[in-house]
Amino acid sequence: DAGALVGTGVFNAGYKLDDITNPANINSSNFANDVVAPFVTITTTYEADGIAIDPSSHTLYATAASAGAVINSYSTQTGAYITQFQGAMSVAPMGLAFLPGANGGTVYVVDNGSGTITAYPGGSKGGPLTPLINLSITGLAKNAAGVVICN
């Protein structure tokens, strides 16, 4: 698995069953010969500490705490790199979450360096950007691992 190599990361953004394209090969009682294969693979130059997916725009957001405090975005349909953004408060972004919304959704970032949880508009570019939300949490710095947003 290339994802285990230092300095690289591989994300399989989706899977499809071969029975859609070749149903004659599938045993209908025990599903023998069924193959689940990725339909797109996204390769990065880093191992991501956090990922989140925008299901509306088919965008994968990925970050690595050691990769310059940026959030990169990739197409989950083609695997292509789209753009990146950086938050004004970002030091070592560790975890990501995405909350869909009518105006493009929101990317939430937990930062292991600054001890903050920040939020940015989906599809953000450039930076450093001022966050929509900035929560500074005592004791979070050097202890952050991820963020989950429930709707």
Side-chain angles (χ1 to χ4, degrees), residues 16-103:
K16 64 181 177 183
L17 296 175
D18 70 345
D19 54 348
I20 295 171
T21 58
N22 200 359
N25 289 338
I26 305 299
N27 180 316
S28 62
S29 62
N30 66 9
F31 301 102
N33 300 322
D34 194 14
V35 176
V36 179
F39 63 80
V40 67
T41 299
I42 299 169
T43 304
T44 66
T45 57
Y46 56 89
E47 286 189 45
D49 291 313
I51 62 171
I53 294 181
D54 173 354
S56 297
S57 69
H58 307 285
T59 301
L60 171 81
Y61 292 95
T63 187
S66 62
V70 298
I71 313 300
N72 295 295
S73 58
Y74 303 87
S75 168
T76 61
Q77 294 178 315
T78 66
Y81 169 82
I82 299 171
T83 191
Q84 69 180 23
F85 72 89
Q86 181 178 18
M89 319 286 293
S90 294
V91 176
M94 196 75 158
L96 300 175
F98 187 85
L99 182 63
N103 294 321

Side-chain angles (χ1 to χ4, degrees), residues 94-125:
M94 196 75 158
L96 300 175
F98 187 85
L99 182 63
N103 294 321
T106 307
V107 179
Y108 290 86
V109 181
V110 63
D111 196 290
N112 194 45
S114 65
T116 59
I117 296 175
T118 52
Y120 303 92
S124 290
K125 298 176 185 176

Side-chain angles (χ1 to χ4, degrees), residues 1-13 15 38 40-44 46-48:
D1 177 32
L5 299 174
V6 175
T8 63
V10 174
F11 306 98
N12 291 319
Y15 291 89
V40 67
T41 299
I42 299 169
T43 304
T44 66
Y46 56 89
E47 286 189 45

